[in-house]
Amino acid sequence: MELLKHFKKKLILFFITALFLFLVFTVKTPSIYNSTPKSSVPPSACSMRISEQTITPLNNTKHFLVSAYMDQRVKDFDIRIIGIFRRDSIQPLHCFFCCAGHLSKTTPATILQHPDNYGFPFVTTDVMCQIPQNCSATHVTLLTTPDKQSPSNHPWLPIRNKDTVGQKEENMQFDFTICISNLFGNYNNVLQFAQTLEMYKLLGVNRVVIYNTSCGPELDRLLQSYSDEGFVEMVPWPIDKHLNPSRGWLHSQHGGDVHYFGQLTTLNECIYRSMERSRYVLLNDIDEIIMPYQHKDLMSLMNTLRNQHPNAGVFLIENHIFPKKHFEPSGRFHLPQWNGVPGINILEHIYREDPARNIYHPYKMIVRPRMVEMTSVHEVIKNFGERYKVPLDVCRIVHVRVALLGSLTLEQLNVDKRLWDFQEKLIPNVDKVLKRVGMLNLTQN
């Protein structure tokens, strides 16, 4: 009996000791952690307002933020924030970071307006930031004063490209990405769009990024189908909810707040979006095809150009217009199954204008994104390597649209049937995608 009482006393003493130690560690440990230089703000503090929008108003300014990327190519900077700023309201800004659970001190921001504003009040702007020491930054925001403000009042942008910086080009997810800068209005050119995307698949393109404000209903259906299969990446671009975007390129003629629905912003954003996942990026419009004339596809073209010009990061491709008012006379590609599909049939247009080289003639580009810092529509503004104009007999743009030189007669145009070299695969592929979205005219087959 005495032995049992002795055992019970020891057991009670053990439980009392265990309870005391538990209380010591659970109560005292937070004070130990709070004594470090890190902020006492809880780990979730900087995630209170993580922006999930593609256009985010910046507090206490007239500016908008789009995205943030790790970019250490420029000395003394780590982060590039892409935004749309009002030119007459530029003010000092300060970078504020979430550092894997604690808040950083602020660092001064360097604001770089892009030179091409075409007279519009809003301009594409890069904000360069330096990450403070001992900060493993995950998110960033901008403040108008260097003092820390309540993090819940500011939108945080996730920092992209952190985990892929430094990987080899040949290990990237994609070989070729196309950046289509803007869709807006009721654009509904379904047939030409389907033909263009299927043509690009044959040429070796892996991904098409499209910034979409709005489009016609049939095109929207087609885009959804391509998005579902993973070929098209749709980026919502509701710029008309924040600004009065212009439908033209020059403010004095077209008015509005920002050039062509923010085209310059989306082109730059797409380069950085693709920088660590695509070896090459094609910058062109939705109705343009960058077409190799001496190679079977884009990769064989670029392998040749890279061997000849190893230091080039920008390859300029000349634009050639195929007027849509002139049709190939035999009608062999006026296919009945495409009757009723909205848009232009590019296979019917084989007559090509010679560019008027005595005036400004625009180019579009294939770029190595890691070698580009800042771009405009027809040329790169800042890059780290050489630029090379690709001869037109090697590669040119097939651009079926309204004639630029409308006075030219048929006899003054060049016959160019390069697209026909792909027709055996192109036509059934277009049929397949149109059938998938219920737009193929099966009654005519």
Side-chain angles (χ1 to χ4, degrees), residues 196-236:
T196 299
L197 261 61
E198 293 302 324
M199 187 67 246
Y200 270 129
K201 282 186 180 181
L202 294 176
L203 291 174
V205 169
N206 313 104
R207 174 62 63 95
V208 178
V209 180
I210 299 177
Y211 293 77
N212 185 27
T213 302
S214 63
C215 62
E218 288 84 7
L219 184 57
D220 186 64
R221 204 158 85 223
L222 183 69
L223 287 171
Q224 186 58 54
S225 176
Y226 277 118
S227 179
D228 290 344
E229 77 172 44
F231 184 58
V232 165
E233 178 180 349
M234 295 295 293
V235 181

Side-chain angles (χ1 to χ4, degrees), residues 222-435:
L222 183 69
L223 287 171
Q224 186 58 54
S225 176
Y226 277 118
S227 179
D228 290 344
E229 77 172 44
F231 184 58
V232 165
E233 178 180 349
M234 295 295 293
V235 181
W237 190 246
I239 194 164
D240 53 343
K241 301 295 190 292
H242 302 280
L243 296 170
N244 174 27
S246 176
R247 290 175 176 265
W249 69 276
L250 192 61
H251 182 261
S252 61
Q253 294 181 10
H254 306 104
D257 290 328
V258 65
H259 165 270
Y260 212 55
F261 277 71
Q263 180 186 33
L264 295 173
T265 305
T266 55
L267 285 175
N268 282 273
E269 207 282 336
C270 192
I271 286 176
Y272 282 89
R273 178 181 292 259
S274 307
M275 191 167 289
E276 297 301 325
R277 67 181 188 183
S278 189
R279 294 180 68 181
Y280 301 102
V281 169
L282 285 66
L283 302 172
N284 57 270
D285 291 341
I286 199 168
D287 56 355
E288 297 171 337
I289 299 173
I290 293 180
M291 175 66 75
Y293 274 69
Q294 296 181 7
H295 301 80
K296 64 178 182 177
D297 54 32
L298 289 167
M299 184 54 78
S300 55
L301 166 69
M302 294 312 299
N303 286 341
T304 299
L305 294 178
R306 287 280 297 273
N307 286 334
Q308 295 171 348
H309 308 278
N311 297 320
V314 178
F315 299 87
L316 296 152
I317 315 296
E318 193 172 71
N319 188 26
H320 286 250
I321 291 171
F322 292 63
K324 67 177 185 178
K325 68 178 181 179
H326 297 300
F327 289 80
E328 186 275 322
S330 75
R332 62 178 292 195
F333 293 113
H334 186 78
L335 303 178
Q337 69 266 32
W338 294 345
N339 289 341
V341 180
I344 298 168
N345 179 358
I346 61 176
L347 291 171
E348 293 188 282
H349 303 283
I350 62 171
Y351 299 103
R352 173 172 52 83
E353 293 180 359
D354 273 330
R357 294 186 179 86
N358 57 321
I359 59 174
Y360 176 73
H361 183 63
Y363 288 77
K364 293 299 173 68
M365 294 172 283
I366 301 175
V367 302
R368 297 166 63 187
R370 285 180 171 178
M371 297 179 72
V372 175
E373 184 181 349
M374 190 181 291
T375 193
S376 187
V377 179
H378 302 294
E379 60 184 352
V380 165
I381 298 169
K382 289 184 180 180
N383 63 295
F384 297 98
E386 298 173 0
R387 308 179 192 190
Y388 176 66
K389 287 186 177 180
V390 180
L392 62 90
D393 63 325
V394 175
C395 183
R396 67 177 75 114
I397 294 175
V398 175
H399 190 184
V400 180
R401 49 152 285 175
V402 174
L404 186 63
L405 306 173
S407 61
L408 295 180
T409 64
L410 203 59
E411 292 71 29
Q412 294 173 298
L413 300 173
N414 305 284
V415 174
D416 187 334
K417 299 179 181 179
R418 174 59 171 154
L419 282 172
W420 289 11
D421 294 339
F422 300 88
Q423 56 93 9
E424 288 186 5
K425 292 182 178 180
L426 179 62
I427 292 172
N429 290 353
V430 172
D431 285 349
K432 182 179 179 180
V433 70
L434 292 177
K435 183 179 180 181

